[in-house]
Amino acid sequence: MEFMTEATLTLHRGRNLDIISSAQIVRSHWNELVVPAAFATASLLAELVDTCCESDEPMPEIYELLVGAAAAIAGGGEPTRLVPRFELRLMHALGVAPPADRCVRCGGPLERGRAWVDTHAGGLACARCAGGRGDAAMLDDADVANFRGLGAARGGDVRPTLEATPRVARAVDALLTYHLGRRPRSRALLDELPAPR
């Protein structure tokens, strides 16, 4: 079994363990994933799905999200740029995505021009609820629009955006880390790679 290979398996129920009696590859992107940036990105996405989906319940939306991401990584380009959109879409699929148009604390609309990342509340906060948190976690109007586009599904009111601004990428990572309760270990692989140009 190669990493990120989609296969159908026939299992035979054993006394203690199930036995694989046949396997057929549906899709394999192995040749495209041996590039360090692609492998590091795919490792992170696989760890996120594995961490978030520990139940035995099938989650077709997350499966389709991972299949699409694997194909996009294999398609070339800069795979690390896909991570923030994947993370935000994963939060949407899990039902923990923050609202992109209102304050996570008071529920009021976000003021045009800026919002603050409130990781303790798991979303974006308005100026009043953010208080004097400084500019470190502030998102300007373009960032808020980018945040909305990253989480947008195809065919909705907001046009999907594939690439995150640097501040939005950090915000999405912080919010997902909050929901997971820890930072994914494979994130260190991406941090070691040179920044995309």
Side-chain angles (χ1 to χ4, degrees):
M1 297 292 294
E2 294 171 340
F3 178 61
M4 294 292 274
T5 295
E6 187 179 0
T8 56
L9 305 175
T10 303
L11 301 173
H12 171 72
R13 188 170 299 273
R15 287 185 192 181
N16 297 323
L17 298 172
D18 292 341
I19 299 164
I20 298 173
S21 56
S22 71
Q24 181 145 6
I25 292 175
V26 175
R27 254 177 244 122
S28 177
H29 301 292
W30 178 248
N31 291 335
E32 294 84 7
L33 295 179
V34 294
V35 179
F39 187 81
T41 302
S43 296
L44 175 62
L45 304 189
E47 181 183 352
L48 290 173
V49 168
D50 189 48
T51 302
C52 295
C53 304
E54 293 177 345
S55 72
D56 292 335
E57 290 293 316
M59 300 185 85
E61 186 178 354
I62 293 175
Y63 174 75
E64 291 301 320
L65 184 65
L66 187 59
V67 167
I73 292 168
E78 183 52 58
T80 58
R81 292 182 174 165
L82 302 170
V83 173
R85 176 155 168 85
F86 180 87
E87 290 174 330
L88 200 50
R89 295 299 308 145
L90 180 62
M91 284 190 276
H92 276 278
L94 295 170
V96 297
D101 57 351
R102 64 185 186 279
C103 176
V104 72
R105 292 221 180 245
C106 70
L110 294 174
E111 297 171 14
R112 183 158 173 76
R114 57 187 178 178
W116 281 260
V117 180
D118 189 339
T119 53
H120 297 295
L124 303 180
C126 65
R128 189 185 58 176
C129 293
R133 296 182 189 263
D135 289 340
M138 188 193 77
L139 302 179
D140 63 20
D141 191 39
D143 291 326
V144 173
N146 183 252
F147 187 87
R148 287 182 179 131
L150 275 180
R154 290 187 175 98
D157 295 340
V158 179
R159 184 170 179 258
T161 302
L162 300 179
E163 197 169 315
T165 64
R167 282 189 285 209
V168 170
R170 286 190 299 274
V172 170
D173 181 49
L175 292 169
L176 184 61
T177 299
Y178 164 78
H179 286 294
L180 292 177
R182 64 178 179 83
R183 197 158 198 257
R185 280 185 245 146
S186 51
R187 172 64 77 176
L189 290 171
L190 286 183
D191 292 343
E192 293 175 8
L193 294 171
R197 296 179 185 177

